[in-house]
């Protein structure tokens, strides 16, 4: 009986150890702290959990009071996808901006500074970078989150990003394996499918992941996508052929494999999160990411119990669960050692700074300025402008709570500048913009105009009526250039807005 209880307790602790749940609130709830004490080894943070660097540092300290080596994970890509600065926009441009500049030393430095800020706040696992080759410009979920469409460029910047982030003591999580760039469907909503042959996958999708593995990426995140050339039946997250056969055996990866969010419809809508979690661990995944939408104790217990039941029934080998849990704990141990190394003698940190501030805090703006491409020869804006922001529906990964655009920065540099937002459903938008602008110069701001025909139509009408219109593209610059001045920022981070405003006015902010 004693042996049976011991085995049961071990399986239960291992089942908790492989979960990476989220929660609500800006302090650690009692149930979460209790589960961490019982064996939960990871926690995921989202924008709803963060108010300030100081508050985040206090939150992570609460968790470490229960378990010093707990993994605290976050989806902080910089650029359009930010949780650390969800309310104001990121201080760092995203991958597409860095890829456009194509300076691997800059990419490495940006990642290191971002990692340093996370580490100071107690975050030690970042679900980044995106290593997806954005070969489909119509991709609704990757876009500027990718370094670009060139495989070799994506590979070298992925490696540099991994090196920079981990030099700060924060584990990288290279995603979305085996590559989400050639999809036309957002896996938050449905199951994407990539119908290319093995030669294409090896020559394109897998190259950046090979580079990340060579750079020592401590974790890799699986994608909820179907690739019939690799597995005609199951998406990558649930596929033994892809996670164990390809990633582990063929590519030789020995680090932590993390799933993308299991409540995304590609999994939840087809397998359900309990069944999906069991299949993912059985396939070779080591950690279950859940909590972007489901963020309560009941979800954690449901998944824990589903894993335990699968072990008892023989569907999930106990050894496989134990191996997964061991990998989670091994990464937790690495982060402890890395945290000490990153803050020890010789580390380039400044003493006496608040969490999230300090050493190279201006490097994000430097990078954003270098990523701006200006087309046209119109003179700079000298008087008040009217900013018309043509706003698409944001994908779930980016979220619609983070502000973007140039209006705030232009208004600061040029008093009297006004703004309004126009969506796809807006009728007679051009007439409204012209009336609201009056004599002021129009600045039309778009995001992925090549994917939204209504944006192109609005821009054409504005430029025809007002040839001096300035157009700012803050997504992928794939649409034809329009306007007397066309500015491509390669992302919509706050620093990209600052850099664009500087380009429009000819006035450097700092």
């Amino acid at each position: 009986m004693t042996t049976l209880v011991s085995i049961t307790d071990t399986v239960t602790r291992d089942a908790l150890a492989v979960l990476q749940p989220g929660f609500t609130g800006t302090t650690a709830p009692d149930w979460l702290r209790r589960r961490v004490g019982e064996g939960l080894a990871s926690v995921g943070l989202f924008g709803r959990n963060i108010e300030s660097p100081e508050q985040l540092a206090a939150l992570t300290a609460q968790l470490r009071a229960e378990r010093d080596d707990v993994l605290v994970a976050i989806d902080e890509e910089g650029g359009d996808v930010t949780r650390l600065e969800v309310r104001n926009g990121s201080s760092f441009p995203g991958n597409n901006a860095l890829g456009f500049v194509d300076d691997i030393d800059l990419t490495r430095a940006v990642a290191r500074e971002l990692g340093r800020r996370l580490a100071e706040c107690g975050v030690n696992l970042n679900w980044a970078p995106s290593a997806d080759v954005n070969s489909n410009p119509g991709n609704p979920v990757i876009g500027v989150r990718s370094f670009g469409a060139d495989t070799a460029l994506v590979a070298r910047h992925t490696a540099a990003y991994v090196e920079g982030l981990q030099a700060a003591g924060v584990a990288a999580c290279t995603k979305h394996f085996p590559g989400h760039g050639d999809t036309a469907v957002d896996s938050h909503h449905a199951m994407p499918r990539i119908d290319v042959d093995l030669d294409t996958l090896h020559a394109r999708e897998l190259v950046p992941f090979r580079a990340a593995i060579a750079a020592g990426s401590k974790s890799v995140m699986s994608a909820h996508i179907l690739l019939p050339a690799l597995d005609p039946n199951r998406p990558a997250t649930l596929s033994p052929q892809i996670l164990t056969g390809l990633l582990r055996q063929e590519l030789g990866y020995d680090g932590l494999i993390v799933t993308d969010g299991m409540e995304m419809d590609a999994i939840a809508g087809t397998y359900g999160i309990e069944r999906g979690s069991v299949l993912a661990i059985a396939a070779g995944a080591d950690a279950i990411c859940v909590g972007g939408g489901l963020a309560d104790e009941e979800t954690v217990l449901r998944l824990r119990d589903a894993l335990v039941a699968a072990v008892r029934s023989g569907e999930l080998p106990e050894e496989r669960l134990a191996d997964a849990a061991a990998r989670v704990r091994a990464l937790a141990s690495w982060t402890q050692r890395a945290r000490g190394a990153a803050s020890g003698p010789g580390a380039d940190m400044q003493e006496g700074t608040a969490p999230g501030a300090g050493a190279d805090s201006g490097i994000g703006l430097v990078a954003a300025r270098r990523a701006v491409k200006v087309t046209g020869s119109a003179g700079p804006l000298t008087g008040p402008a009217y900013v018309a922001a043509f706003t698409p529906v944001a994908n779930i990964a980016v979220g619609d709570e983070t502000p973007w655009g140039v209006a705030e920065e232009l208004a600061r540099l040029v008093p009297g500048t006004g703004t309004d937002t126009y969506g796809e459903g807006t009728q007679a938008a051009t007439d409204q913009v012209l009336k609201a602008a009056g004599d002021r110069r129009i600045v039309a701001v778009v995001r992925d105009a090549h994917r939204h025909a209504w944006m192109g139509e609005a821009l054409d009408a504005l430029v025809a009526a007002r040839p001096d219109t300035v157009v700012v593209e803050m997504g992928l610059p794939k649409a034809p250039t329009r306007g007397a001045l066309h500015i491509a920022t390669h992302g919509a981070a706050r620093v990209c807005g600052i850099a664009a405003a500087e380009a429009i006015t000819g006035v450097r902010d700092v």
Side-chain angles (χ1 to χ4, degrees):
M1 179 66 70
T2 302
T3 302
L4 179 60
V5 171
S6 176
I7 291 173
T8 301
D9 287 348
T10 298
V11 170
T12 300
R13 289 184 67 84
D14 286 348
L16 275 175
V18 303
L19 302 180
Q20 290 189 351
F23 61 97
T24 58
T26 54
T27 59
D30 290 342
W31 70 263
L32 183 64
R33 297 172 67 179
R34 184 170 62 253
R35 298 304 172 189
V36 169
E38 293 175 358
L40 185 68
S42 308
V43 173
L45 298 178
F46 298 85
R48 63 180 179 245
N49 303 122
I50 300 170
E51 290 181 342
S52 68
E54 293 78 12
Q55 167 268 324
L56 178 55
L59 168 58
T60 58
Q62 280 186 303
L63 295 169
R64 294 211 162 85
E66 304 296 332
R67 180 182 183 136
D68 186 54
D69 67 344
V70 66
L71 286 170
V72 181
I74 198 169
D75 193 2
E76 183 59 49
E77 299 177 15
D80 291 27
V81 179
T82 178
R83 312 302 181 224
L84 195 62
E85 299 181 274
V86 67
R87 288 169 176 77
N88 299 309
S90 181
S91 299
F92 302 91
N95 285 3
N96 196 252
L98 296 172
F100 174 76
V101 176
D102 195 15
D103 179 343
I104 59 172
D105 290 333
L106 178 66
T107 294
R108 188 181 294 110
V110 166
R112 180 161 186 164
E113 173 60 13
L114 177 58
R116 188 190 65 78
R117 294 191 186 194
L118 291 173
E120 284 193 346
C121 295
V123 177
N124 54 11
L125 171 58
N126 190 9
W127 294 320
S130 167
D132 306 298
V133 179
N134 199 60
S135 55
N136 180 359
N139 195 315
V141 68
I142 302 301
V144 294
R145 299 169 65 198
S146 166
F147 288 111
D150 179 86
T151 299
L153 179 146
V154 174
R156 62 179 173 264
H157 285 276
T158 296
Y161 198 104
V162 167
E163 292 165 355
L165 193 63
Q166 293 186 170
V170 175
C173 186
T174 307
K175 62 188 183 185
H176 306 81
F177 185 83
H180 211 312
D182 194 20
T183 58
V185 172
D186 185 344
S187 51
H188 290 88
H189 302 299
M191 182 78 74
R193 179 186 176 106
I194 298 180
D195 286 303
V196 297
D197 57 32
L198 284 175
D199 289 343
T200 301
L201 288 171
H202 279 276
R204 187 179 65 186
E205 270 74 16
L206 296 180
V207 174
F209 290 96
R210 290 182 185 273
I213 292 168
S217 184
K218 293 299 177 181
S219 63
V220 168
M221 177 176 283
S222 67
H224 304 328
I225 56 176
L226 192 67
L227 299 101
L230 295 172
D231 187 334
N233 300 312
R234 290 185 179 175
T237 294
L238 311 183
S239 171
Q241 292 97 309
I242 295 175
L243 297 189
T244 299
L246 177 59
L247 183 53
R248 289 275 188 234
Q249 297 171 358
E250 186 173 343
L251 300 187
Y253 180 65
D254 194 42
L256 188 76
I257 299 177
V258 183
T259 72
D260 206 345
M262 297 300 285
E263 65 269 56
M264 294 163 63
D265 277 351
I267 299 297
T270 53
Y271 294 87
I273 63 168
E274 293 97 331
R275 176 71 175 155
S277 295
V278 169
L279 292 175
I281 298 295
D286 305 304
I288 301 296
C289 175
V290 65
L294 299 172
D296 52 51
E297 183 177 21
E298 180 184 354
T299 299
V300 172
L301 297 181
R302 282 165 52 201
L303 297 182
R304 180 202 65 183
D305 293 348
L307 292 168
V308 171
V311 170
R312 288 176 176 167
S313 70
E315 179 182 14
L316 175 61
E318 183 178 341
E319 295 78 10
R320 170 78 274 273
L321 179 63
D323 174 64
R327 290 180 191 276
V328 174
R329 295 173 186 131
L331 180 57
S333 295
W334 176 86
T335 61
Q336 282 190 302
R337 298 191 301 273
R339 186 172 67 204
S343 59
D348 60 348
M349 302 256 183
Q350 290 182 353
E351 295 183 3
T353 56
D360 294 311
S361 58
I363 195 169
L365 181 54
V366 169
R369 285 169 175 158
R370 292 180 64 184
V372 169
K373 180 180 180 181
V374 179
T375 304
S377 56
L381 178 72
T382 56
Y386 178 75
V387 180
F390 295 96
T391 305
V393 176
N395 68 62
I396 293 176
V398 172
D400 58 8
E401 68 269 37
T402 303
W404 68 282
V406 301
E408 182 178 345
E409 301 303 331
L410 272 182
R412 188 165 50 80
L413 294 176
V414 186
T417 293
T419 186
D420 208 344
T421 299
Y422 301 87
E424 183 173 5
T426 303
Q427 299 297 315
T430 304
D431 291 341
Q432 294 178 33
V433 172
L434 293 171
K435 182 178 179 180
D439 294 333
R440 294 176 294 183
R441 193 170 181 185
I442 296 171
V443 177
V445 185
V446 294
R447 202 170 182 176
D448 288 343
H450 69 288
R451 292 199 304 112
H452 304 285
W454 63 274
M455 286 187 194
E457 293 168 1
L459 291 178
D460 286 339
L462 281 178
V463 171
R466 295 282 294 271
D468 65 343
T469 295
V470 176
V471 176
V472 182
E473 170 61 82
M474 303 193 78
L476 287 179
K478 297 296 184 181
T481 58
R482 299 175 171 93
L485 199 65
H486 184 278
I487 296 170
T489 61
H490 301 90
R494 176 173 53 83
V495 286
C496 295
I498 294 173
E502 293 176 347
I504 293 169
T505 61
V507 177
R508 177 153 286 199
D509 187 47
V510 290

